[in-house]
Amino acid sequence: MLKIIIPTIMLIPLTWMSKPNMIWINTTTYGLLISLISLFYLNQPNDNTLNSSLMFFSDSLSAPLLALTTWLLPLMLMASQHHLSKEPLTRKKLYISMLILLQLFLIMTFTASELIFFYILFEATLIPTLIIITRWGNQTERLNAGLYFLFYTLMGSLPLLVALLYIHNFMGSLNFLMIQYWIQPLPNSWSNIFLWLACMMAFMVKMPLYGLHLWLPKAHVEAPIAGSMVLAAVLLKLGGYGMMRITTLLNPLTNFMAYPFMMLSLWGMIMTSSICLRQTDLKSLIAYSSVSHMALVIVAVLIQTPCSYMGATALMIAHGLTSSMLFCLANSNYERIHSRTMILARGLQTLLPLMAAWWLLASLTNLALPPTINLIGELFVVMSSFSWSNITIILMGINITITALYSLYMLITTQRGKYSHHIKNIKPSFTRENALMTLHLLPLLLLSLNPKIILGPIY
Amino acid sequence: MNMFSSCMITALVILTLPIIMSSTKLYKNKLYPYYVKTATSYAFMISMIPTMMFIYSGQETIISNWHWMTIQTMKLSMSFKLDYFSMIFVPVALFVTWSIMEFSMWYMHSDPYINRFFKYLLLFLITMMVLVTANNMFQLFIGWEGVGIMSFLLIGWWYGRTDANTAALQAVLYNRIGDVGFIMTMAWFLLNLNTWDLQQIFITTNDNFNLPLLGLLLAATGKSAQFGLHPWLPSAMEGPTPVSALLHSSTMVVAGVFLLIRFHPLMEHNQTIQTLTLCLGAITTLFTAICALTQNDIKKIVAFSTSSQLGLMMVTIGINQPYLAFLHICTHAFFKAMLFMCSGSVIHSLNDEQDIRKMGGLFKVLPFTTTSLIIGSLALTGMPFLTGFYSKDLIIESANTSNTNAWALLITLVATSLTAAYSTRIMFFALLGQPRFSPMIPINENNPLLINSIKRLLIGSVFAGYIISHSITPTTIPQMTMPHYLKMTALAVTTLGFILALELNLTTQGLKFNYPSNYFKFSSLLGYYPTIMHRLTPKTSLTISQKSASMLLDSIWLENILPKSISYFQMKSSTLISNQKGLIKLYFLSFMLTMILSLLILNYHG
């Protein structure tokens, strides 16, 4: 694992020592090279895990997320260039360093083999994200958003620390690889129910579960583009990853503890996607769509069948790329219109036809058009929830329909119709932006050729 | 000798060539539409070889070529099913598309993005081929969703128009509701049969196929615009006429019926689903025929007649005659595509005028279009020995002689006679009588692109039914004998419809237009369905999403319960407990008092 971690650390000196006009290109290229290294981990020769050391390991659940994380750094750098073009050099370098630091923490979080280590890094990712949101956000509301972001996640995860200490006390180890052999079924008692809650709530808040999701639209809307991208693409997946890791500890309590949370997510995904139908703010719409997609992941993880785990893993990767691409598109609109309001940016297809093609493809992947991996993920989730209870198909069906509606509503409002006069003299789309969209879309399309590498450990 | 599958694959690969071409310089070329058209015609001709072989020897094939993935015990691979249905439908669809492409070279010639339009048409055709030839449900779903999305793009072709965008969104919405049924069926099959391969599904037995079949019926309802999910089809007429001719008459909308035909082995012993299908089809065919009666937009009339014919196909499936339904799909493709092309020719000639009240007397100025339109309409009504006759007459006969629901049968018969009525209406208003359009329009139909494309389908509308029904051995045995009056029913109701409509239309000539009656309003307002469903449902759901989901829950309750209340209580308690109240004077006073006191004490110490 050091062959990813050390190059990532070395990105920081690269940033600070690069010539002023080279900082973006250097870091982006280097970041892309690192992401190439991470692709090796996708090849999991033995069905079990790939242990790098006592501290780090990767299996087919963490490897796709690792690849997603490393893939996203160069994309974030490419997306932020315009946003930071007016900043002084030192601040640009500081910003890039923050992104690198975040990537470093994320890589270590996804590959940590010790739960306490995982927990520390899980919390450590909050710091660079908070700095990115509150320092480089566009409006004053960013401070409030940062506050929400920090307090929701901290409140959720502090009980986890206590729970982990307790588990360490009676099990003697918190190593993922060892725990699965030592684990005893938890007897059903009140204290164990609280243990379950303490373990799961941290990740539920991070996902976010409906009801605890308020921080997410705020953080997404106020964060600068790189912040939104990394939040939607990777940070939310920390929740799903953590849940899938920790549920092994909590059997058989999950079987009945899951009910309220399943209900909440099934209900919440319809609520949040119907909120999307009424959003006027483009970024907020995409943020709510993330909540609704993540609700599917929560449902899948709580059902705990092989099929649902496959669906959850596939959906996490697919949603990571799709939502990040949507945020990039929203940002390219924002850089031209200087507003996130959709109605101000309508009819753009006439002016920016290539960008309209990207919008179309992004919306289609968001509504899970076959044969994209989004569909594979959603299909498995729908299937496993259908086998869990036939009635859920009604809720899932409503959600599928509304998802299609708001994706196309977003597409039609921004791209179709007559363009308004104030956008007559906007800039054409840059090669940088087109490359950015291609780099998002390419993995999505290539993965749908061979989806099994992102189907997780139970595949 | 296995030219069979290789020819078929060649035909399918030829279709992808112009798509690959679109990344080269040729895409910028003026000739790109021509390439696309030629590719389609070559694909048609090549696909005829295996079809001939199929007709001659009846050989069926399943090709399984690219292993996609294996999930636990389920293998998913790219696999094509070349059986009766796909072998007959592929050449028919290619033939119709070939003509429509030639027609759109004429119709869309002034469009600056004509190359992209052709690329979309071709992409649609490819997804349709995927749908038809798919051998597993996932591949079928790719085609299924693909045609849905291509219809979204093609209906919304003139994206500057609000109506076109709304119609496109409406089409996706109704299709998506159907897709839920499809997804549920996929889930059910995976869960209970652990396979998506068609042949494996058909050989496994399960006591109760009600749920998956209901899902398929829902899917078919959405895609084939059956009652309840029908309004998108007439709205889709906002798209260009070639799109209506290709998607909304001959190929995409029959996909739902095709799906039910494909899954017929599961349906044939299931009475519940058959009765449901029968009733759904009967209601659709009557309702849309009634709606067609009072429409004035020529394309809308043809669209409603398509919907009505789709209902008839559903009825056929409901009476357990999938092969007849399939025959009707094939014959219907010829004359309905031609009817749309004729109306396109009329619309284009009259400077984008679609209202039949403003036409009239076109038989003098557009003789060829008039001929084709009349033949198409006659074929649609089931005039003996035209294409429609061979399928429609058989359908009505087998419905008459089967042991079926008498109400459904009666409704279907009424709808059949209404078919004649609205066809008469088009002919009467658009073609006959005095011209009512502006005399300044230069009308010219003598363009080979237009003439040839319509001519080809015209020949198809006259002979295709005969050729198809006589070269294929009937798989279900048609009723051989029946009473005289049952044999004549189909013809009798059609003639009745013709005569009645003609008389009624003639009376309208001299009479003043009365205040519309309630029956008239029911028909012209499409049974009040759009008024109710397209206002009430979106309004309530959007209000709920705004008021309760967004404002009440998210902005008020969830905010108040957690963050706001916590910060409020923190603030209150901190102000309550803290002894620092900002009373500067008092603090200074006490400070002064202390100072004075201490000074005094210190002074008097010594």
Side-chain angles (χ1 to χ4, degrees):
Chain A
M1 210 49 65
L2 287 182
K3 66 184 166 195
I4 296 189
I5 293 172
I6 291 176
T8 311
I9 296 172
M10 294 311 285
L11 263 170
I12 297 175
L14 177 78
T15 315
W16 287 92
M17 290 172 188
S18 290
K19 273 186 272 175
N21 57 346
M22 296 293 275
I23 47 170
W24 294 111
I25 188 78
N26 276 352
T27 45
T28 310
T29 323
Y30 195 14
L32 273 173
L33 288 177
I34 294 175
S35 75
L36 290 184
I37 305 175
S38 76
L39 293 183
F40 288 111
Y41 291 95
L42 288 176
N43 178 27
Q44 296 278 339
N46 46 349
D47 280 346
N48 208 347
T49 53
L50 218 59
N51 298 327
S52 308
S53 65
L54 280 177
M55 304 274 268
F56 298 114
F57 83 113
S58 82
D59 64 355
S60 41
L61 171 63
S62 58
L65 290 166
L66 180 68
L68 180 69
T69 314
T70 49
W71 183 251
L72 218 70
L73 177 69
L75 301 190
M76 287 193 292
L77 292 173
M78 283 169 84
S80 323
Q81 286 182 25
H82 183 270
H83 169 239
L84 287 185
S85 55
K86 302 232 165 37
E87 301 256 328
L89 188 64
T90 329
R91 276 195 218 149
K92 278 187 197 170
K93 287 182 172 173
L94 195 63
Y95 181 83
I96 297 173
S97 314
M98 280 303 145
L99 293 182
I100 294 164
L101 204 62
L102 183 57
Q103 148 140 324
L104 183 68
F105 288 146
L106 282 170
I107 291 171
M108 297 210 289
T109 320
F110 281 129
T111 52
S113 62
E114 186 84 12
L115 258 172
I116 282 287
F117 189 43
F118 171 79
Y119 176 81
I120 292 168
L121 289 162
F122 179 78
E123 297 294 303
T125 54
L126 292 182
I127 300 163
T129 322
L130 185 73
I131 294 173
I132 290 170
I133 293 178
T134 48
R135 175 61 192 82
W136 280 280
N138 290 319
Q139 309 175 49
T140 31
E141 283 86 0
R142 66 179 190 270
L143 298 173
N144 195 21
L147 209 62
Y148 269 60
F149 168 69
L150 196 67
F151 273 87
Y152 265 84
T153 26
L154 270 185
M155 284 296 186
S157 56
L158 274 178
L160 178 63
L161 180 64
V162 181
L164 286 183
L165 293 177
Y166 169 74
I167 292 172
H168 188 264
N169 216 18
F170 82 78
M171 291 239 299
S173 166
L174 281 176
N175 197 311
F176 281 132
L177 305 171
M178 291 211 260
I179 279 177
Q180 49 187 330
Y181 301 112
W182 289 1
I183 187 69
Q184 304 287 322
L186 286 180
N188 182 2
S189 67
W190 274 103
S191 54
N192 281 336
I193 287 176
F194 281 109
L195 180 69
W196 191 93
L197 281 176
C199 287
M200 292 298 261
M201 282 324 274
F203 305 118
M204 295 274 194
V205 174
K206 197 81 181 181
M207 271 308 258
L209 181 75
Y210 179 72
L212 303 171
H213 67 279
L214 282 187
W215 65 271
L216 184 118
K218 287 192 168 54
H220 270 118
V221 170
E222 299 305 330
I225 170 64
S228 306
M229 282 168 75
V230 74
L231 263 173
V234 191
L235 286 171
L236 302 188
K237 277 68 196 175
L238 275 179
Y241 174 77
M243 268 164 83
M244 284 161 93
R245 285 275 184 237
I246 211 159
T247 37
T248 48
L249 287 175
L250 301 170
N251 276 328
L253 233 53
T254 320
N255 296 346
F256 73 91
M257 281 304 286
Y259 285 104
F261 297 99
M262 295 278 284
M263 265 167 49
L264 213 53
S265 339
L266 284 169
W267 171 244
M269 79 190 173
I270 292 176
M271 278 289 126
T272 41
S273 44
S274 58
I275 289 172
C276 287
L277 285 176
R278 289 304 290 259
Q279 286 301 317
T280 49
D281 181 333
L282 192 52
K283 274 181 113 175
S284 166
L285 195 161
I286 303 167
Y288 271 110
S289 121
S290 298
V291 182
S292 134
H293 279 100
M294 285 300 111
L296 283 174
V297 177
I298 297 183
V299 169
V301 174
L302 288 178
I303 290 175
Q304 300 197 86
T305 60
C307 210
S308 75
Y309 271 21
M310 279 188 246
T313 326
L315 195 58
M316 283 200 286
I317 303 296
H319 175 260
L321 289 165
T322 313
S323 62
S324 169
M325 179 172 182
L326 282 173
F327 274 118
C328 287
L329 287 167
N331 183 56
S332 75
N333 267 8
Y334 180 78
E335 282 168 6
R336 292 181 171 76
I337 318 290
H338 306 293
S339 166
R340 297 187 309 262
T341 313
M342 272 193 286
I343 200 101
L344 291 177
R346 61 188 190 273
L348 280 177
Q349 181 167 7
T350 325
L351 303 172
L352 308 171
L354 186 55
M355 207 43 105
W358 300 127
W359 268 104
L360 177 71
L361 290 171
S363 308
L364 292 185
T365 45
N366 196 42
L367 63 80
L369 185 82
T372 53
I373 44 174
N374 302 55
L375 177 90
I376 295 166
E378 278 193 26
L379 207 56
F380 279 119
V381 176
V382 171
M383 206 128 45
S384 44
S385 82
F386 182 72
S387 69
W388 180 71
S389 154
N390 282 359
I391 304 166
T392 53
I393 190 74
I394 300 171
L395 298 170
M396 289 286 180
I398 295 173
N399 186 43
I400 287 170
T401 316
I402 303 181
T403 308
L405 266 186
Y406 70 71
S407 304
L408 293 177
Y409 156 70
M410 181 171 68
L411 176 75
I412 286 178
T413 319
T414 54
Q415 304 302 313
R416 304 295 178 85
K418 284 195 187 66
Y419 64 90
S420 44
H421 290 294
H422 64 279
I423 56 171
K424 253 181 192 160
N425 42 12
I426 57 174
K427 295 186 290 282
S429 46
F430 302 120
T431 315
R432 171 178 63 84
E433 287 167 337
N434 291 325
L436 181 62
M437 304 309 159
T438 321
L439 289 179
H440 274 111
L441 210 58
L442 215 56
L444 273 174
L445 296 180
L446 291 178
L447 280 174
S448 39
L449 286 182
N450 185 12
K452 68 175 171 236
I453 49 175
I454 54 157
L455 284 183
I458 312 161
Y459 168 74
Chain B
M1 107 91 205
N2 224 341
M3 293 284 281
F4 189 75
S5 47
S6 45
C7 279
M8 203 61 200
I9 294 297
T10 316
L12 295 182
V13 168
I14 284 178
L15 290 180
T16 59
L17 290 182
I19 303 288
I20 300 166
M21 227 151 80
S22 70
S23 55
T24 62
K25 252 188 185 164
L26 287 170
Y27 186 53
K28 304 267 181 284
N29 204 326
K30 277 246 178 233
L31 283 174
Y32 186 74
Y34 180 75
Y35 296 144
V36 176
K37 191 209 86 181
T38 317
T40 318
S41 69
Y42 285 173
F44 161 68
M45 284 162 198
I46 293 171
S47 77
M48 276 309 279
I49 301 170
T51 306
M52 295 290 185
M53 285 159 75
F54 172 76
I55 290 171
Y56 177 70
S57 64
Q59 87 177 91
E60 299 188 344
T61 313
I62 289 171
I63 311 170
S64 180
N65 33 17
W66 176 52
H67 176 226
W68 189 45
M69 60 174 173
T70 305
I71 299 158
Q72 294 174 344
T73 53
M74 191 183 62
K75 183 185 169 211
L76 281 176
S77 54
M78 193 161 85
S79 150
F80 295 97
K81 190 185 185 77
L82 306 177
D83 67 337
Y84 180 92
F85 300 123
S86 49
M87 286 321 297
I88 305 290
F89 191 72
V90 166
V92 171
L94 285 173
F95 181 79
V96 171
T97 316
W98 171 26
S99 296
I100 290 170
M101 280 180 171
E102 195 166 340
F103 172 75
S104 18
M105 283 166 71
W106 170 76
Y107 193 83
M108 303 293 286
H109 66 93
S110 58
D111 196 298
Y113 299 109
I114 184 168
N115 288 0
R116 196 197 294 163
F117 183 75
F118 271 79
K119 191 165 78 173
Y120 280 6
L121 281 187
L122 194 63
L123 268 176
F124 165 77
L125 184 66
I126 290 170
T127 49
M128 191 67 205
M129 293 294 113
V130 169
L131 193 158
V132 172
T133 54
N135 187 38
N136 64 48
M137 287 201 75
F138 192 79
Q139 208 174 327
L140 191 61
F141 194 51
I142 294 174
W144 185 263
E145 286 286 280
V147 292
I149 290 305
M150 290 320 292
S151 98
F152 170 79
L153 288 176
L154 284 167
I155 296 171
W157 176 252
W158 288 308
Y159 57 82
R161 287 167 55 185
T162 319
D163 278 353
N165 288 327
T166 323
L169 191 61
Q170 200 177 330
V172 169
L173 170 61
Y174 280 111
N175 275 313
R176 199 72 183 173
I177 295 172
D179 291 346
V180 175
F182 200 105
I183 290 175
M184 185 187 77
T185 311
M186 285 173 85
W188 195 92
F189 280 141
L190 193 62
L191 212 62
N192 290 285
L193 308 179
N194 192 35
T195 181
W196 279 340
D197 277 358
L198 295 185
Q199 75 274 15
Q200 290 181 24
I201 290 175
F202 297 151
I203 56 167
T204 36
T205 49
N206 195 299
D207 310 327
N208 194 355
F209 275 116
N210 275 346
L211 201 60
L213 285 176
L214 268 179
L216 288 179
L217 189 61
L218 180 63
T221 311
K223 194 66 85 185
S224 288
Q226 298 298 302
F227 183 77
L229 303 178
H230 63 280
W232 71 268
L233 185 55
S235 311
M237 295 301 123
E238 286 296 330
T241 307
V243 173
S244 313
L246 181 59
L247 275 73
H248 307 121
S249 72
S250 48
T251 45
M252 174 199 166
V253 287
V254 299
V257 181
F258 190 86
L259 181 77
L260 290 184
I261 294 174
R262 262 268 184 264
F263 281 89
H264 190 260
L266 301 184
M267 251 175 107
E268 58 190 352
H269 303 300
N270 195 323
Q271 289 298 324
T272 326
I273 298 295
Q274 274 182 21
T275 315
L276 266 176
T277 318
L278 178 70
C279 294
L280 182 68
I283 293 171
T284 312
T285 187
L286 180 69
F287 180 79
T288 46
I290 289 176
C291 291
L293 281 179
T294 54
Q295 296 304 306
N296 291 319
D297 185 332
I298 186 167
K299 278 180 78 181
K300 283 243 163 102
I301 303 179
V302 186
F304 273 117
S305 97
T306 307
S307 214
S308 176
Q309 294 304 306
L310 290 169
L312 188 66
M313 292 170 200
M314 289 295 252
V315 167
T316 322
I317 293 172
I319 57 172
N320 216 349
Q321 294 281 4
Y323 286 88
L324 276 185
F326 180 70
L327 189 61
H328 198 54
I329 286 182
C330 295
T331 54
H332 178 253
F334 287 98
F335 54 76
K336 194 47 70 66
M338 189 179 72
L339 279 179
F340 267 116
M341 279 154 67
C342 291
S343 44
S345 159
V346 170
I347 291 166
H348 203 82
S349 302
L350 296 183
N351 235 349
D352 296 332
E353 182 55 65
Q354 307 201 357
D355 196 331
I356 53 168
R357 289 169 299 186
K358 297 186 189 164
M359 293 173 182
L362 286 174
F363 71 102
K364 286 263 172 56
V365 282
L366 295 171
F368 179 71
T369 309
T370 306
T371 319
S372 322
L373 191 64
I374 289 178
I375 290 178
S377 300
L378 290 179
L380 169 71
T381 51
M383 181 82 175
F385 313 117
L386 290 181
T387 288
F389 171 75
Y390 291 94
S391 51
K392 205 170 175 182
D393 202 52
L394 272 182
I395 291 172
I396 303 287
E397 272 170 21
S398 33
N400 272 343
T401 50
S402 74
N403 196 1
T404 185
N405 189 332
W407 274 108
L409 175 63
L410 198 65
I411 286 176
T412 316
L413 285 179
V414 173
T416 312
S417 92
L418 291 184
T419 311
Y422 57 71
S423 303
T424 318
R425 200 157 165 271
I426 294 187
M427 289 189 260
F428 188 86
F429 280 103
L431 308 176
L432 310 177
Q434 301 298 320
R436 292 183 294 277
F437 50 86
S438 151
M440 301 303 286
I441 304 170
I443 294 178
N444 182 14
E445 60 165 4
N446 293 317
N447 189 315
L449 289 174
L450 172 69
I451 298 265
N452 286 342
S453 56
I454 294 187
K455 201 189 283 167
R456 220 173 290 132
L457 284 181
L458 181 65
I459 294 167
S461 312
V462 179
F463 297 112
Y466 176 79
I467 293 169
I468 295 177
S469 63
H470 279 253
S471 47
I472 307 287
T473 42
T475 336
T476 45
I477 300 156
Q479 195 74 24
M480 290 301 178
T481 57
M482 64 191 85
H484 204 238
Y485 58 91
L486 281 188
K487 181 79 187 162
M488 298 305 286
T489 328
L491 207 56
V493 289
T494 309
T495 324
L496 188 72
F498 263 125
I499 295 169
L500 274 177
L502 205 60
E503 288 299 321
L504 278 174
N505 285 334
L506 281 175
T507 52
T508 56
Q509 295 264 304
L511 295 177
K512 194 170 149 254
F513 189 59
N514 240 344
Y515 185 75
S517 71
N518 278 336
Y519 300 112
F520 180 84
K521 279 191 225 155
F522 179 83
S523 169
S524 67
L525 294 175
L526 315 181
Y528 307 113
Y529 192 89
T531 329
I532 299 167
M533 294 306 285
H534 290 181
R535 272 178 194 277
L536 209 61
T537 333
K539 187 159 182 280
T540 38
S541 57
L542 287 178
T543 319
I544 287 174
S545 60
Q546 171 75 0
K547 293 222 165 117
S548 78
S550 181
M551 286 167 73
L552 188 69
L553 279 174
D554 251 49
S555 314
I556 298 176
W557 272 107
L558 293 178
E559 281 272 5
N560 276 344
I561 287 176
L562 277 172
K564 290 226 170 117
S565 63
I566 290 176
S567 83
Y568 177 78
F569 284 121
Q570 293 290 335
M571 209 159 66
K572 273 287 168 204
S573 51
S574 68
T575 44
L576 208 66
I577 294 165
S578 156
N579 44 13
Q580 219 279 23
K581 293 264 167 33
L583 304 171
I584 301 285
K585 276 185 189 168
L586 202 65
Y587 301 151
F588 274 113
L589 194 65
S590 61
F591 187 61
M592 197 180 74
L593 284 177
T594 335
M595 287 296 280
I596 291 169
L597 210 64
S598 55
L599 277 174
L600 284 176
I601 293 170
L602 281 177
N603 272 351
Y604 290 97
H605 180 65

